[in-house]
Amino acid sequence: MRKMNRLLRRVASSVIAMVSGLAAASAIAGAADTASDASDWPLYGRTYQEARFTPLKQIDVANAGRLGLAWEFNDFVVRGRTHRGNEASPIVADGVMYFSGPWSVVYALDARVGTLLWKYDPQVDGNWARRACCDVVNRGVALWKGHVYVATLDGYLVCIDAKSGKLVWKVDTFIDRKTMNYASTGAPRVAGENIVIGNSGAELAARGYVSAYDSASGKLTWRFFIVPGDPAKGPDESPDVTVARKTWSKESRWDLGGGGTAWDSMVYDPALKLLYVGTGNGMPHPVWTRSPGGGDNLFLSSIVALDATSGRMRWYYQTTPGDSWDFTATQNMILADIEVDGHTRHVLMQAPKNGFFYVLDRTNGKLLSANAYTHVTWARNVDLTTGRPLLTSQADYSREKKEIWPSQAGGHNWMPMSYSETSHLVFIPTLNAGMNFGMLPGKDVHFRVGANNEGDDVGWARPAGDGGIPWAPPNPGESGPPFQSVLEAWDPRRGKVVWQTPPQPFWAGGVLSTASGLVFQGAADGVFSAYDASKGTRVAQLETGTGIIAAPISYQMDGTQYVAVLAGFGGAMNQIGYPPGSAALKYQNRERVLVFKLDGGAVSLPPNRQSELQPLPAPISTDPKVLQHGISLIARCAGCHGFRGIPNGYPDLWNLSPSTHAAFQSIVLDGALSYAGMPSFKDALTPDDVKAIQAFIISDEINIRKAGKGKSDAQ
Ligand code: CA
């Protein structure tokens, strides 16, 4: 049993390690250009500043209690696949709502009533489920001059006619489909006449880069490499790469790509014509493994300002030099003009994973302030003169295991924060969680497609029960800061928390703020809430029955203000397991678009999660050697399917139907269910391996039933 617990912790750890992304053309262009029309939401964060703030005021603190459902859309393309997470923010312009769902499918709806106008399914092969670290999600589309752009999971930038939903062009954004592990989940951004996109993959070996394509033709305009490539393979692509190379040791693991993938945040300043790119963590995670001899390893975990016309670097600010903790700086960036020391400054704000809230002068990259917005132990502070963090002795886990806060999930992950342009507060979906970081003794890093970072050994600092799962409350008698997810209001001028909500189920959704003093946010428990922005009290809560991680948006039509949010739990939690209190534990997890207005109707709850007990299968083998071999391999399955007792978004292996058991070999080796996201593991497992896995699962299921523990929670 102890062995099992250890195994389970390893599984949880390895998954955690992965957590670590129109109608009339003229009218649309106009809306996006000025973004002054409060009634639309024409760009990813509404305006180029990406404050996720609406000037609309119809719904306010006094009347928010009257919010109800205006309409719902739930006809997502599933085709027998399992239900997945919704992470996108919709775009609304000229009465049409555009958004992307799981598997990069794009939808256009009538924003007034939710009728489907068209959908575009890029037909992503199910095998790509293995390439995406954290579910087959997509965070959104871009809209520009009558075209809708989506970056598909399998790496194509697709241009779709906004009126008809028909394909206009499609380009391959990946530079390597063999040795690197790219996938795309982020929303493309409009930067001048270019559409820009990065990708993910830094958990699985990838060299990060960002590409810009001409919005009309799809022709590549420029490409910026975030980290240097293998010097044996050719000269540096640009002088910027040469600058970065000086901060890497010669014997760096070029074969593993270096990481730095820009999988989520990019912001464009049309006045300065600068594109700000938030870059990802290093690959492999520990710098001593990645770049022996150390170095800052530019441009990992950095905010890089690029000339949007040429793609050349203007300035950079590295939040985590020599990153060894999966501290990405890919979290959402917000541009604002705020008062600093009596002067109005054009700033860029970010709360990256590393726990510090940064305010930079976005004209030149100068650090104006950096203060901890969550519990931080890896660094004492950030020196404002050098711009560098002052590391504590806790930071170095090369020789012994260390408890480090924040965890690899970060103090803030991809769920967008919001900035109120009236109160000047930032509302951050904050995570308070620590993690034990260490090295696996005698283990070098091993990488292959679909495999995880096996070099560093991580686990939540405060394991609860068997699973080492972070969202449980502290164990009795434990001291130290609590593990929790909260919404906090942050004053970027003073670098201080103004208010905090009570703890929410582990990890909460993205945020919207309004000129009428409201903050909207959904959560894993399926509750969609409105808070009073001045003090954090909850003024409205709607039970939806569906976990929410995406950020809400707001728009107005015919005098009615709407608040829209995509619901559907998933993302990294799809693999790690549903936290206690999750709606997905109680109800079937379904992809939905929920749109609210004043005096709307009731929200219908999804059907209860059915736990149908399958007949007990007959044992395949009782040979202890076979069963032991199955145990040694089960982590490969549990990385997605979970281990007994932790329900997640994948079918429960401990409660498979007789027909699934009969097809087990062909599912695992021949990819019989690859269309549904269960890829073939032929490259990694032999028929005997698969038999051993199945034998162990069946034997274990029989033992559990015999012990009278009932069934595992079926999907
Ligand atoms: Ca990561």
Side-chain angles (χ1 to χ4, degrees):
M1 201 56 204
R2 234 194 183 151
K3 207 171 202 173
M4 275 302 160
N5 295 344
R6 273 208 307 273
L7 169 69
L8 186 49
R9 268 196 291 276
R10 268 301 292 152
V11 170
S13 298
S14 68
V15 175
I16 287 154
M18 292 193 273
V19 182
S20 11
L22 300 199
S26 55
I28 300 325
D33 277 345
T34 62
S36 58
D37 185 357
S39 50
D40 280 348
W41 192 281
L43 293 165
Y44 185 67
R46 195 180 78 81
T47 67
Y48 282 114
Q49 289 72 37
E50 299 209 7
R52 296 187 166 272
F53 168 83
T54 176
L56 297 173
K57 290 182 176 172
Q58 188 175 86
I59 304 166
D60 59 28
V61 174
N63 65 23
R66 285 165 40 204
L67 275 175
L69 190 76
W71 55 263
E72 164 172 0
F73 172 84
N74 51 29
D75 189 17
F76 281 71
V77 174
V78 176
R79 281 200 308 253
R81 292 165 166 171
T82 50
H83 294 275
R84 304 293 186 129
N86 257 333
E87 295 190 352
S89 307
I91 299 264
V92 176
D94 285 3
V96 182
M97 175 184 288
Y98 306 90
F99 61 92
S100 50
W103 299 103
S104 331
V105 179
V106 181
Y107 305 81
L109 310 181
D110 179 326
R112 192 182 284 100
V113 289
T115 323
L116 180 70
L117 302 175
W118 55 258
K119 63 188 167 203
Y120 176 84
D121 182 353
Q123 306 277 344
V124 173
D125 189 283
N127 276 300
W128 283 87
R130 272 174 92 193
R131 294 261 192 156
C133 80
C134 310
D135 201 358
V136 297
V137 294
N138 193 281
R139 277 179 298 280
V141 298
L143 178 68
W144 186 245
K145 296 190 174 176
H147 292 142
V148 177
Y149 301 87
V150 67
T152 61
L153 189 69
D154 55 355
Y156 293 92
L157 180 66
V158 177
C159 173
I160 307 161
D161 183 273
K163 260 191 184 163
S164 66
K166 296 272 186 296
L167 178 74
V168 178
W169 53 254
K170 178 177 165 177
V171 290
D172 186 354
T173 72
F174 289 170
I175 54 170
D176 180 342
R177 288 180 176 267
K178 289 202 176 97
T179 55
M180 296 288 131
N181 293 272
Y182 300 115
S184 278
T185 56
R189 303 299 208 281
V190 180
E193 287 305 322
N194 288 323
I195 304 295
V196 289
I197 187 65
N199 51 57
S200 64
E203 254 59 60
L204 309 168
R207 181 188 179 199
Y209 61 89
V210 178
S211 310
Y213 296 90
D214 179 75
S215 59
S217 68
K219 191 173 169 290
L220 182 72
T221 313
W222 53 255
R223 177 165 281 148
F224 175 80
F225 284 94
I226 292 161
V227 295
D230 186 343
K233 288 193 173 161
D236 291 346
E237 289 86 352
S238 85
D240 299 329
V241 173
T242 308
V243 167
R245 189 178 298 285
K246 293 191 176 105
T247 63
W248 292 69
S249 65
K250 285 203 165 54
E251 62 278 28
S252 292
R253 290 295 299 268
W254 308 114
D255 56 322
L256 301 173
T261 48
W263 52 268
D264 194 35
S265 187
M266 289 181 288
V267 193
Y268 176 60
D269 184 326
L272 297 170
K273 295 193 166 36
L274 289 181
L275 176 75
Y276 306 100
V277 177
T279 74
N281 56 270
M283 178 70 242
H285 287 156
V287 66
W288 50 89
T289 308
R290 180 177 68 240
S291 181
D296 287 351
N297 288 186
L298 292 171
F299 297 99
L300 294 178
S301 306
S302 300
I303 296 162
V304 182
L306 305 180
D307 180 318
T309 312
S310 66
R312 289 294 312 280
M313 189 187 65
R314 288 277 194 82
W315 58 257
Y316 70 89
Y317 176 77
Q318 189 173 38
T319 58
T320 310
D323 167 50
S324 292
W325 309 274
D326 193 5
F327 284 161
T328 66
T330 54
Q331 283 54 52
N332 74 304
M333 295 175 284
I334 292 174
L335 310 184
D337 293 339
I338 65 169
E339 195 113 319
V340 179
D341 300 329
H343 301 282
T344 300
R345 302 290 290 259
H346 306 300
V347 305
L348 179 153
M349 300 183 284
Q350 190 191 44
K353 272 191 184 179
N354 76 12
F356 290 100
F357 188 98
Y358 294 87
V359 181
L360 303 174
D361 182 328
R362 71 173 182 272
T363 64
N364 56 20
K366 185 179 159 30
L367 178 66
L368 300 177
S369 68
N371 293 283
Y373 64 90
T374 184
H375 188 59
V376 173
T377 66
W378 69 282
R380 195 166 304 142
N381 57 25
V382 179
D383 185 318
L384 290 185
T385 316
T386 62
R388 298 178 71 87
L390 207 67
L391 265 55
T392 66
S393 58
Q394 277 306 97
D396 180 359
Y397 61 93
S398 61
R399 277 171 221 90
E400 52 182 326
K401 220 167 207 183
K402 295 282 178 62
E403 180 179 319
I404 297 170
W405 294 61
S407 73
Q408 288 189 343
H412 170 219
N413 209 290
W414 63 267
M415 294 77 165
M417 61 185 192
S418 167
Y419 167 70
S420 166
E421 289 168 3
T422 46
S423 73
H424 306 292
L425 296 180
V426 179
F427 307 97
I428 315 170
T430 305
L431 301 173
N432 248 303
M435 190 174 261
N436 288 317
F437 286 69
M439 299 298 290
L440 285 174
K443 226 174 178 184
D444 188 11
V445 279
H446 303 287
F447 297 92
R448 52 186 175 259
V449 171
N452 194 12
N453 188 343
E454 294 178 353
D456 52 338
D457 181 23
V458 295
W460 299 99
R462 196 165 294 149
D466 287 349
I469 302 299
W471 44 80
N475 293 322
E478 268 183 348
S479 60
F483 266 84
Q484 59 186 27
S485 174
V486 294
L487 174 64
E488 71 181 31
W490 176 265
D491 185 341
R493 295 161 302 181
R494 294 188 302 138
K496 286 201 161 45
V497 175
V498 178
W499 54 254
Q500 234 179 35
T501 62
Q504 306 163 327
F506 199 81
W507 63 10
V511 184
L512 162 74
S513 62
T514 77
S516 55
L518 284 173
V519 181
F520 287 98
Q521 186 196 31
D525 57 7
V527 176
F528 187 69
S529 302
Y531 297 92
D532 180 334
S534 65
K535 48 190 181 202
T537 44
R538 183 145 67 171
V539 294
Q541 59 186 105
L542 291 120
E543 188 84 40
T544 74
T546 307
I548 299 168
I549 46 180
I553 62 133
S554 189
Y555 60 98
Q556 187 159 304
M557 288 182 73
D558 301 334
T560 301
Q561 184 187 354
Y562 298 91
V563 174
V565 71
L566 267 65
F569 202 57
M573 292 298 161
N574 213 41
Q575 282 123 300
I576 294 176
Y578 298 145
S582 293
L585 291 171
K586 195 170 171 191
Y587 301 102
Q588 292 183 13
N589 185 40
R590 291 288 183 269
E591 300 89 344
R592 310 164 82 180
V593 181
L594 299 168
V595 181
F596 306 100
K597 64 174 183 179
L598 292 179
D599 306 317
V603 185
S604 65
L605 297 173
N608 273 310
R609 182 188 172 88
Q610 300 292 331
S611 295
E612 266 188 59
L613 190 59
Q614 299 291 344
L616 203 54
I620 291 181
S621 171
T622 51
D623 181 345
K625 264 195 197 150
V626 172
L627 298 180
Q628 196 52 45
H629 186 50
I631 290 172
S632 73
L633 293 168
I634 195 68
R636 296 301 305 274
C637 314
C640 288
H641 291 273
F643 199 69
R644 46 154 118 110
I646 304 182
N648 70 6
Y650 295 83
D652 181 0
L653 301 180
W654 275 255
N655 193 32
L656 295 176
S657 68
S659 61
T660 306
H661 268 304
F664 202 88
Q665 286 270 347
S666 88
I667 291 169
V668 180
L669 294 179
D670 306 332
L673 290 180
S674 66
Y675 74 93
M678 169 60 201
S680 162
F681 281 77
K682 208 169 211 159
D683 59 335
L685 299 170
T686 67
D688 278 348
D689 291 341
V690 178
K691 188 184 161 194
I693 290 169
Q694 192 181 11
F696 162 67
I697 290 168
I698 290 174
S699 149
D700 201 48
E701 190 182 342
I702 292 170
N703 288 341
I704 292 170
R705 289 248 205 125
K706 264 196 201 145
K709 283 190 181 168
K711 58 188 170 21
S712 48
D713 197 347
Q715 172 78 346

